[in-house]
């Protein structure tokens, strides 16, 4: 029978080898955990508008599809509120894209406060926003009223008072 060399019978060498194996396994575990977190973060970013943090078109479509399946199953009401900002192009052209971006962020914040936690607010692009409202038959109308009221006060951005009015559509 072959015997291992004397070097491998030394306790110190065996302990160092064991520690190295443990260190490599811990490092691999940390790398896998970090990769999972990164994949989750990228997947989440892929469904969010990078400027406003709202849902993007893909997430909105996903949630709308889910709401329609629930409607078929439960008969629950589904409402979609669509809006775009009137004269938004004038803000970008006259005050610059930085002010336009801040305005979009402000609109997103007001819309978040106008809806319930179960509703979805999305920015498919540009100055367009969509809201998905589920629940009782009155919910879409109530949310649409709150959305309209959210624009009663002008936006104040970079020292400019911007009274914005949206065009709003509601489908139930």
């Amino acid at each position: 029978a072959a015997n291992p060399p004397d070097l491998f019978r030394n306790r110190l060498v065996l302990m160092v080898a064991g520690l190295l194996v443990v260190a490599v396994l811990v490092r691999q575990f940390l790398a896998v955990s970090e990769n999972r977190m990164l994949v989750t973060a990228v997947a989440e970013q892929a469904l969010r508008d990078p400027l406003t943090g709202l849902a993007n078109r893909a997430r909105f479509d996903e949630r709308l599809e889910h709401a329609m399946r629930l409607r078929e199953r439960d008969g629950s009401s589904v409402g979609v509120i669509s809006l775009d900002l009137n004269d938004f192009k004038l803000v970008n052209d006259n005050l610059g894209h930085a002010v336009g971006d801040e305005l979009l962020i402000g609109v997103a914040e007001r819309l978040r406060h106008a809806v319930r936690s179960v509703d979805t607010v999305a920015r498919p692009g540009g100055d367009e926003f969509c809201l998905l409202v589920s629940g009782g038959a009155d919910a879409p109308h109530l949310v649409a009223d709150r959305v309209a009221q959210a624009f009663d006060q002008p936006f104040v951005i970079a020292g400019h008072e911007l009274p914005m009015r949206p065009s709003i559509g509601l489908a139930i």
Side-chain angles (χ1 to χ4, degrees):
N3 288 327
D6 289 339
L7 177 67
F8 292 115
R9 286 190 233 159
N10 183 332
R11 258 191 193 164
L12 179 61
V13 171
L14 290 175
M15 286 188 342
V16 169
L19 286 174
L20 283 174
V21 167
V22 168
V24 167
L25 290 174
V26 167
R27 174 63 185 115
Q28 287 302 104
F29 174 76
L30 292 173
V32 167
S33 296
E34 185 178 329
N35 285 346
R36 283 185 181 158
M37 289 186 331
L38 289 173
V39 166
T40 300
V42 167
E44 179 63 25
Q45 288 175 357
L47 297 173
R48 294 236 169 251
D49 171 54
L51 178 65
T52 62
L54 296 176
N56 64 11
R57 183 181 308 275
R59 171 153 292 164
F60 184 82
D61 290 347
E62 178 183 285
R63 297 234 173 119
L64 178 60
E65 185 178 316
H66 177 71
M68 295 306 285
R69 282 195 307 269
L70 288 177
R71 185 188 71 77
E72 287 176 12
R73 188 185 76 197
D74 303 346
S76 60
S77 178
V78 175
V80 174
I81 300 168
S82 175
L83 67 98
D84 65 46
L85 303 177
N86 297 333
D87 301 322
F88 178 73
K89 185 175 177 349
L90 294 175
V91 172
N92 269 343
D93 290 348
N94 294 320
L95 301 176
H97 289 280
V99 172
D101 287 351
E102 287 301 315
L103 176 60
L104 293 172
I105 292 167
V107 168
E109 193 61 30
R110 288 192 189 182
L111 292 176
R112 276 190 197 99
H113 291 297
V115 301
R116 303 161 308 158
S117 61
V118 297
D119 300 328
T120 300
V121 181
R123 177 176 171 242
D127 65 334
E128 301 172 33
F129 295 86
C130 294
L131 294 83
L132 176 63
V133 182
S134 301
D138 292 340
H141 293 286
L142 295 172
V143 171
D145 287 341
R146 285 199 308 267
V147 165
Q149 290 170 7
F151 290 87
D152 286 347
Q153 298 298 316
F155 293 83
V156 179
I157 298 170
H160 300 282
E161 195 170 282
L162 305 171
M164 297 301 298
R165 297 305 316 163
S167 295
I168 301 175
L170 171 63
I172 299 175

